Amino acid sequence: MQQLTFDILENSPLAEDVFRLWLKAGTSEACSALKSVKAGQFVNIGVKGCFLRRPISICDVEGERLCLVYKVVGKGTAIMADMSVGEQVDMLLPLGNGFNIARSGAKPLLVGGGVGVPPLLLLFKQLKEAGKTADVVLGFNKRQDIILADEFRRLGCEPIVATIDGSEGYKGFVTDALRNINANANNTYYYSCGPIGMLRAVKRELAIGGELSMEERMGCGFGVCMGCTCHTQGGARQVCTDGPVFGSGEVIFEEASGQILI
């Protein structure tokens, strides 16, 4: 982890309340840090006027450029949406453990939901560089919420899309699409990122091995505050340092009072 400076190249909307932030490394140290980024890792970005940094998953890396995709959900991300081209931002990166592409097998499967989709773009690229051709299933509420599908297409992949209202692709959840493509028979390993409810359903649906990238609120982002603890077979683990990626068999999902918890 390093504290580094980046310059904003683009900060534009992708969908309602979802923005794409392209940044350029401002120093040689920042350029070097980008070379070590693994898909699934994240940054902790400093936001003016906010004491706590905001953790954002890494969507893509191209040379000295870094891409983040984030959703406006509160004060900090609302301030980020108003940041302008040319401004400098201060970040801690890379954080977290990322996905293990060595476990992918011959036919990996990527399953993303909503703003859990962005880290899968870099994962797809890194799998492709390793000679793997991955299937991609993406889930959204409606057609207007779809993000990054065209970016996957530019990489030579036709993503399978599911929307809850049926306005694009399969009608229903990503699990409905997984049944239609018979993922348990056709794929060797899976990687998934998205809302907790989706991850829980994906784990139940898929009998093959896989990895889950957990979305949790974080305070410090590097293991001091204990604010992002989740339950695993090995006991309480911190998403920011032990994750955000965990083996699917490690994570314990519990259901209580009608709410899905971890």
Side-chain angles (χ1 to χ4, degrees):
M1 176 188 70
Q2 299 181 67
Q3 185 172 355
L4 301 164
T5 301
F6 285 76
D7 301 311
I8 296 176
L9 298 175
E10 175 190 335
N11 190 22
S12 58
L14 279 180
E16 184 178 1
D17 294 329
V18 178
F19 288 76
R20 173 163 46 198
L21 180 63
W22 274 105
L23 303 131
K24 181 179 179 181
T27 64
S28 58
E29 291 79 10
C31 286
S32 297
L34 292 183
K35 294 177 182 178
S36 67
V37 167
K38 293 174 60 178
Q41 290 185 300
F42 65 98
V43 306
N44 226 7
I45 185 168
V47 180
K48 292 178 182 178
C50 296
F51 175 71
L52 295 176
R53 294 173 179 266
R54 267 43 182 187
I56 308 291
S57 61
I58 295 172
C59 175
D60 201 2
V61 175
E62 293 183 352
E64 60 183 12
R65 301 197 310 154
L66 170 70
C67 180
L68 308 176
V69 173
Y70 63 95
K71 184 172 184 176
V72 176
V73 294
K75 176 184 176 182
T77 44
I79 293 172
M80 286 177 59
D82 285 333
M83 294 191 304
S84 302
V85 172
E87 287 186 37
Q88 288 191 325
V89 295
D90 173 84
M91 291 190 293
L92 301 176
L93 82 155
L95 298 172
N97 61 352
F99 295 106
N100 187 341
I101 65 173
R103 296 174 179 163
S104 70
K107 192 66 172 174
L109 170 67
L110 280 53
V111 186
V115 288
V117 170
L120 300 183
L121 184 67
L122 181 58
L123 176 60
F124 183 89
K125 291 175 70 172
Q126 292 183 346
L127 285 167
K128 187 175 181 179
E129 289 169 1
K132 309 292 184 178
T133 302
D135 293 326
V136 178
V137 177
L138 309 178
F140 304 93
N141 289 324
K142 57 185 183 298
R143 176 187 293 138
Q144 292 82 356
D145 296 331
I146 296 173
I147 58 171
L148 303 178
D150 286 339
E151 281 72 10
F152 280 105
R153 293 184 182 106
R154 281 193 280 271
L155 292 171
C157 167
E158 184 57 46
I160 298 160
V161 173
T163 51
I164 293 175
D165 69 355
S167 55
E168 184 80 16
Y170 288 101
K171 181 177 182 179
F173 301 102
V174 290
T175 45
D176 296 302
L178 293 175
R179 293 185 199 110
N180 276 281
I181 67 171
N182 199 13
N184 281 313
N186 296 325
N187 295 101
T188 52
Y189 195 77
Y190 74 90
Y191 304 90
S192 187
C193 184
I196 294 301
M198 188 204 84
L199 295 180
R200 182 175 184 270
V202 167
K203 179 181 175 179
R204 281 184 170 179
E205 182 68 28
L206 295 177
I208 56 178
E211 296 175 12
L212 306 173
S213 181
M214 311 298 289
E215 293 184 349
E216 280 292 306
R217 292 183 66 87
M218 297 180 189
C220 67
F222 45 84
V224 176
C225 72
M226 305 296 287
C228 60
T229 302
C230 70
H231 299 294
T232 73
Q233 298 289 350
R237 304 280 295 280
Q238 291 173 265
V239 172
C240 64
T241 52
D242 299 316
V245 178
F246 295 91
S248 58
E250 293 180 77
V251 181
I252 298 174
F253 292 96
E254 298 174 351
E255 189 169 350
S257 302
Q259 291 184 321
I260 297 173
L261 308 173
I262 59 169

